Amino acid sequence: HSPGRDPLPRALALLTVHPRVVRGAQRILGPRVCLAASSMTFKHPSGGPPVPRHRDTFINKLPGPQQHIVLNIDICIDAATVETGCLWMASGTHQLLDVEEIAARDPGDWSDMVPVEGQPGDIVFHNDLTVHGSPATAPHDGSKWRRIALSVYVDPDGLHQHGFVSGMSGVPAWDVLALMDLMQDIVNLRQTVHGDVDYVIPPWTPPAGSPTEPPEQPPLLPCGTCVD
């Protein structure tokens, strides 16, 4: 799911702005935070395939040092254990420019990774450049799902200037503003439903001169029209 583009299920929306989630993000990123994406991940009790080692940027060779943090936040809906297919992470890999050798290791060998187990309600915060994945799981107790609600938080200034990978393209101001507006709508919904919002997210102001409206698209030409 990408906010502003796809519908955001109500239950997931309310989780993404839970006070513990937002306050944790603010401690790492600063008071002005932006919800950039969200999703649910599952491992079924009947067994699940492996998720190979990867960075969430899916870029193993970075173009240079990163200028800001893209923060992944995993909320455990169920117990995430080695048996049920918890995340495994390679400590310190968020600081490396090149992780191709790590990502290419034998998919059955997780000896260089650390399991990150959690109980329902636990929250895992990690840099999206940290190499992570999960081994295949064998069938086990039919009541033991592994479900995680994932949110991706960023600093809006960093998102606008650097995008999700520094050295690539930044995100236009109008898209960042749309994300911030959507997040505030979700925060307002949470306050209406639960009344527990105890944080403030300062508004974001684009740098002077940044276009805040997308450019007009040229009209579509009728089928069969030739253009020199």
Side-chain angles (χ1 to χ4, degrees), residues 139-151:
H140 51 269
D141 181 343
S143 65
K144 293 182 178 179
W145 283 80
R146 195 276 276 154
R147 294 170 293 182
I148 287 178
L150 167 66
S151 299

Side-chain angles (χ1 to χ4, degrees), residues 122-201:
D122 284 350
I123 305 175
V124 178
F125 296 82
H126 73 90
N127 192 309
D128 83 332
L129 294 178
T130 302
V131 175
H132 60 284
S134 62
T137 55
H140 51 269
D141 181 343
S143 65
K144 293 182 178 179
W145 283 80
R146 195 276 276 154
R147 294 170 293 182
I148 287 178
L150 167 66
S151 299
V152 179
Y153 272 80
V154 293
D155 161 46
D157 282 319
L159 183 64
H160 176 54
Q161 294 173 29
H162 307 290
F164 289 93
V165 179
S166 299
M168 311 293 277
S169 58
V171 174
W174 60 82
D175 276 340
V176 178
L177 287 168
L179 289 170
M180 295 293 288
D181 286 346
L182 176 61
M183 182 175 181
Q184 190 58 56
D185 288 345
I186 299 171
V187 170
N188 294 342
L189 174 63
R190 174 144 198 127
Q191 181 63 12
T192 299
V193 174
H194 294 291
D196 60 356
V197 174
D198 58 359
Y199 54 81
V200 174
I201 303 170

Side-chain angles (χ1 to χ4, degrees), residues 53 105-113:
R53 294 173 184 80
R105 288 192 62 157
D106 181 344
D109 176 13
W110 294 81
S111 60
D112 59 328
M113 309 280 278

Side-chain angles (χ1 to χ4, degrees), residues 18-19 26 35 37 39 45 47 73 80 83 86 108 114-115 117 119 128 133 147 151-153 169 188 199 205 216 223:
H18 189 287
Q26 289 178 320
L35 174 64
S39 66
I73 304 174
E83 179 189 25
C86 67
V114 177
E117 297 186 300
Q119 294 302 309
D128 83 332
R147 294 170 293 182
S151 299
V152 179
Y153 272 80
S169 58
N188 294 342
Y199 54 81
T205 302
E216 282 191 29
C223 183

Side-chain angles (χ1 to χ4, degrees), residues 12-25:
L12 179 57
L14 295 178
L15 269 179
T16 62
V17 296
H18 189 287
R20 289 174 59 202
V21 171
V22 177
R23 290 199 309 270

